[in-house]
Amino acid sequence: MKNQILHILPEDFPWRNQIQWYDVIDSTNTKAKVLASQGAPEGTLIIAGCQTGGRGRLGRSFASPKDSGVYMSLILRPNCSPSKLMHLTCAAGVAAADAVETVSGIRPGIKWTNDLVYGRQKLGGILTELSVNPQTGIADFAVIGIGINCRQQPGDFPQEIQSLACSLRMMTGKDISCAALAAALMVSLYRMNCGLHSQKQEIMARFSRDCVTVGQEISLLRGDEVRHGKAVSVNTDGELLVEFSDGHRESVTSGEVSIRGMYGYL
Ligand code: BTN
């Protein structure tokens, strides 16, 4: 797989010598965090054929069966305060959508803030983790973890997520190579990283166009509390502006947003 990726990447791609492949790993994000804390440079990519403990947001797991998808984590060294990185997950989402479009010809949507979707089904997800130096308050490293379903047929997903999940194969009817997608992701993430600060407005304008949450009736779950409203827009820090049923508006930065009609929320 690593050789296939290298074959596809441009010869002069700056991060091409920083790929670490594992046939099996618990979680590429966990490994990337360990390596980053030991000094691994920006552009180090951990990629695996299968994860036994793939992690998603909010403590969820991410099913990562053998050779069925791309499971990878990229180490970045942003060298700035975390407040300047509020849009990082959104930027990674746009980069991931670019890569999917490159290899499949179809642009997926993004469910705020970190899911790639096709129609009403989840194609993949992004888990961004940040480490901040307590002395300086500067982000020491960021790990961007991306998981995208590639080769599954509907029956390959566990029963409980069968109606909620899809893959590139289900999207296109074609067997799209995981190596091609991984290479496209590396290129689009490199480009994203180069413009992360200088092109923030453009990146977030693209996120807003891709975001399927905007304009939808949503419910916001925080702990035991459920509130209903309508998603109005996403600002340049990636916050979701929600208008609640009583008319007042609030920017939402965390918690779980469900869209009416998606992932089984009726
Ligand atoms: C989510 O659905 O909430 C995010 C899923 C992120 C999954 C990817 S797979 C590669 C990387 N390693 C992990 O353990 N998680 C991310």
Side-chain angles (χ1 to χ4, degrees), residues 69-236:
V70 170
Y71 319 116
M72 62 182 238
S73 301
L74 176 71
I75 296 173
L76 297 179
R77 301 263 178 205
N79 196 24
C80 63
S81 109
S83 62
K84 295 234 158 55
L85 296 170
M86 304 287 282
H87 65 306
L88 183 59
T89 301
C90 296
V94 174
D98 286 345
V100 168
E101 188 175 14
T102 299
V103 297
S104 73
I106 298 175
R107 190 164 187 88
I110 304 175
K111 177 180 171 286
W112 185 88
T113 163
N114 71 320
D115 281 353
L116 289 181
V117 296
Y118 178 63
R120 302 190 169 279
Q121 291 171 315
K122 177 162 171 165
L123 179 69
I126 297 164
L127 178 65
T128 307
E129 298 185 275
L130 207 60
S131 168
V132 180
N133 181 316
Q135 263 96 47
T136 60
I138 296 292
D140 194 18
F141 63 80
V143 167
I144 298 178
I146 301 183
I148 298 180
N149 305 323
C150 291
R151 310 189 64 204
Q152 291 94 336
Q153 308 274 22
D156 296 335
F157 290 107
Q159 183 76 39
E160 60 281 10
I161 61 165
Q162 249 173 47
S163 60
L164 317 177
C166 75
S167 65
L168 288 186
R169 178 181 281 185
M170 289 159 64
M171 226 167 95
T172 60
K174 292 184 204 141
D175 190 9
I176 289 174
S177 121
C178 294
L181 177 59
L185 281 164
M186 287 188 77
V187 170
S188 62
L189 287 166
Y190 178 76
R191 212 174 281 147
M192 171 216 81
N193 191 45
C194 292
L196 188 62
H197 301 295
S198 60
Q199 285 160 30
K200 183 176 174 184
Q201 305 286 337
E202 294 93 311
I203 291 171
M204 291 311 296
R206 297 186 70 209
F207 181 87
S208 292
R209 282 200 292 277
D210 287 332
C211 182
V212 300
T213 312
V214 170
Q216 302 294 315
E217 299 291 327
I218 57 120
S219 75
L220 178 70
L221 316 178
R222 265 202 200 127
D224 289 341
E225 189 194 27
V226 184
R227 295 157 80 200
H228 300 281
K230 186 170 178 181
V232 178
S233 58
V234 178
N235 71 15
T236 52

Side-chain angles (χ1 to χ4, degrees), residues 24-46:
V24 183
I25 202 166
D26 53 352
S27 153
T28 56
N29 260 42
T30 304
K31 182 72 181 178
K33 287 199 307 185
V34 171
L35 293 176
S37 63
Q38 292 169 349
E42 176 158 275
T44 302
L45 185 89
I46 314 301

